[in-house]
Amino acid sequence: EILRVTGVQTCALPISGSQSLRLSFVLRWLGITLVALLALQMAVLLSAADWADGVFKQLLIERLVNQAPMGLIGLLLMLLGSRLDQPETARPPIRWLVCVISALLATLMIVVVPVSISGNQNLAGESDQTLEQQKGQLEMARQQSANPENVKMLGNQLTQAGQLAADASEDDKVKAAQAFIDKQLAQMEQQIKQGERQRNLAVNQRRFGGTLSAVILAVAFVLLALAAVI
């Protein structure tokens, strides 16, 4: 006799109560560990706090923004563990803890935004000032190189330094001096372009990696605080 299978009925295996408890325990303590690491790193930095130093403020902002996602994940894991452990309880203490910490971090992110914008403006101003000085030096060097007497004097200096033959003609001295000047001007222009690239990179990094990230994190922490008490 041949047995024929006319249909197969499948169903999802439910997670048992003990498995749910174990999973919620692991998630909760994993989240607590991440939040504790965030607090520890910030405490190490705050132990050497110098609020009058602008460099310390920027370092504090960068560390807070860079490490805040770890705290966000930790709080989310704590909330998920609580949902698995006590799904029917409206607002157990751990959810209030998640709400309070999330609200605190959201407030810090909001405070970071204007401080970060001010720091970006100061950084851009200092970089622009340095670039303006370099451009002024370049313009002055061009004006000096346009003076034939200065070119002739430089040719004599090159001869005395041994970079030209002692019996070199005046034309050779002028050509060598002009080539030397052109090389120096090209290097100065390259330094200015490099400084502009570095300025733009630093400003954009602070703008998108600091200010914009702080705004996004503030919204995320607000949503997490609301999710903890809903």
Side-chain angles (χ1 to χ4, degrees):
E1 182 178 1
I2 300 175
L3 297 178
R4 295 182 180 180
V5 179
T6 59
V8 177
Q9 183 177 2
T10 60
C11 62
L13 295 177
I15 299 178
S16 65
S18 60
Q19 289 178 337
S20 177
L21 288 176
R22 288 196 296 268
L23 180 60
S24 64
F25 178 82
V26 172
L27 291 177
R28 184 186 302 111
W29 280 103
L30 181 59
I32 292 174
T33 301
L34 294 177
V35 175
L37 285 175
L38 172 63
L40 180 61
Q41 293 186 9
M42 298 307 302
V44 171
L45 185 59
L46 291 175
S47 63
D50 185 6
W51 299 106
D53 187 5
V55 177
F56 171 77
K57 292 181 181 179
Q58 293 299 321
L59 178 61
L60 179 62
I61 291 174
E62 291 178 1
R63 181 68 61 83
L64 180 60
V65 173
N66 291 336
Q67 299 299 327
M70 179 176 64
L72 179 64
I73 295 174
L75 292 170
L76 182 59
L77 291 176
M78 291 170 61
L79 180 60
L80 291 176
S82 174
R83 295 287 187 182
L84 290 174
D85 188 15
Q86 299 172 325
E88 299 179 356
T89 305
R91 296 180 182 89
I94 191 171
R95 295 185 193 175
W96 284 110
L97 179 62
V98 171
C99 178
V100 171
I101 297 177
S102 299
L104 176 61
L105 290 174
T107 303
L108 290 176
M109 291 297 108
I110 294 173
V111 173
V112 159
V113 172
V115 178
S116 179
I117 293 175
S118 177
N120 291 343
Q121 293 176 348
N122 294 334
L123 175 64
E126 293 176 358
S127 300
D128 290 340
Q129 184 177 1
T130 302
L131 290 173
E132 288 298 327
Q133 292 178 354
Q134 293 178 349
K135 290 179 181 179
Q137 294 174 357
L138 176 60
E139 185 62 27
M140 185 180 298
R142 286 174 176 172
Q143 293 177 359
Q144 293 178 353
S145 63
N147 190 341
E149 294 296 329
N150 292 333
V151 176
K152 183 178 180 180
M153 185 182 302
L154 178 61
N156 294 330
Q157 293 176 356
L158 294 175
T159 303
Q160 294 175 359
Q163 298 185 18
L164 289 176
D167 58 349
S169 63
E170 292 296 328
D171 291 339
D172 293 337
K173 292 180 181 180
V174 170
K175 290 180 181 179
Q178 192 62 48
F180 180 83
I181 292 173
D182 292 341
K183 182 179 179 181
Q184 294 296 319
L185 293 176
Q187 290 178 353
M188 294 177 68
E189 290 178 352
Q190 184 65 26
Q191 290 177 356
I192 292 174
K193 292 179 179 178
Q194 184 177 2
E196 290 177 344
R197 288 194 297 268
Q198 292 177 351
R199 186 273 310 272
N200 295 334
L201 178 61
V203 171
N204 290 333
Q205 182 178 2
R206 289 179 180 271
R207 179 181 300 153
F208 296 104
T211 306
L212 186 58
S213 296
V215 173
I216 295 175
L217 286 170
V219 174
F221 281 120
V222 169
L223 294 177
L224 184 59
L226 293 176
V229 294
I230 292 178

